[in-house]
């Protein structure tokens, strides 16, 4: 990644957060003036309290995004062994290829039926429960269609 683009992006996000804060604090000031005038209501006072929160929200989101990114990066380095300067395959063989830690782990395809020891297939109990639930939903839908 180009460090210059990261810097430009960071400056742009910072300027956007500051602009949002300035606009929202200005709107809070305007609502305070409306509240203090003869025709002001408590609704204006509520807006006085809300606008600063709206202005601070983008800055909070940037902070939260950075915290989650750091946490994700820490979790990725904890499991890969890259922080020690050496990477090994899962079986410990240094000559074996190492999977890229940025790619999500591949899960095996689910087994929809279990095979008994004699080779006959039977349904998984979780699948039978799901099928019963789907039949129940279809019955409710049919009843709903009859009422309409």
């Amino acid at each position: 990644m180009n460090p210059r683009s990261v810097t430009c992006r960071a400056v742009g996000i910072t300027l956007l957060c500051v602009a949002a804060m300035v606009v929202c604090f200005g709107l809070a000031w305007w609502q305070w003036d409306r509240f203090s005038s003869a025709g002001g209501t408590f609704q204006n006072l509520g807006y006085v309290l809300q606008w600063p929160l709206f202005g601070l929200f983008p800055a909070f989101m940037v902070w939260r995004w950075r915290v989650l990114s750091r946490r994700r990066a820490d979790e990725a380095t904890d499991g890969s062994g890259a922080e020690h300067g050496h990477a090994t395959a899962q079986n410990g063989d240094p000559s074996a290829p190492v999977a890229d830690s940025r790619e999500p782990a591949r899960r095996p395809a689910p087994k929809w039926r279990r095979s008994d020891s004699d080779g006959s297939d039977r349904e998984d109990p979780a699948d039978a429960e799901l099928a019963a639930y789907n039949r129940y939903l279809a019955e409710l839908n049919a009843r709903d269609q009859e009422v309409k």
Side-chain angles (χ1 to χ4, degrees):
M1 187 180 275
N2 185 359
R4 189 174 193 186
S5 67
V6 172
T7 305
C8 291
R9 187 180 336 178
V11 168
I13 290 172
T14 302
L15 289 176
L16 185 65
C17 288
V18 169
M21 236 184 301
V22 167
V23 167
C24 290
F25 277 87
L27 288 168
W29 183 269
W30 170 65
Q31 286 293 335
W32 178 256
D33 285 343
R34 295 277 312 246
F35 172 70
S36 354
S37 68
T41 63
F42 283 105
Q43 183 177 9
N44 297 114
L45 182 62
Y47 288 136
V48 167
L49 301 174
Q50 282 182 344
W51 279 116
L53 294 176
F54 294 155
L56 293 172
F57 186 73
F60 168 75
M61 288 304 299
V62 169
W63 171 79
R64 182 71 178 152
W65 185 19
R66 292 186 67 188
V67 166
L68 292 176
S69 295
R70 277 191 219 132
R71 187 178 301 162
R72 194 175 329 120
D74 289 345
E75 288 172 359
T77 57
D78 286 346
S80 69
E83 70 272 7
H84 299 296
H86 65 282
T88 60
Q90 289 180 354
N91 60 4
D93 181 14
S95 63
V98 178
D100 188 4
S101 63
R102 292 173 288 174
E103 290 184 18
R106 302 268 192 261
R107 291 186 178 175
K111 288 187 175 181
W112 297 109
R113 294 185 176 272
R114 288 190 203 163
S115 213
D116 286 342
S117 59
D118 62 350
S120 63
D121 286 341
R122 64 181 170 92
E123 272 192 37
D124 187 7
D127 291 337
E129 186 179 337
L130 179 64
Y133 181 67
N134 285 335
R135 283 191 300 274
Y136 173 70
L137 289 177
E139 181 185 324
L140 286 178
N141 187 29
R143 272 195 242 159
D144 189 39
Q145 295 302 322
E146 289 173 7
V147 172
K148 290 183 182 180

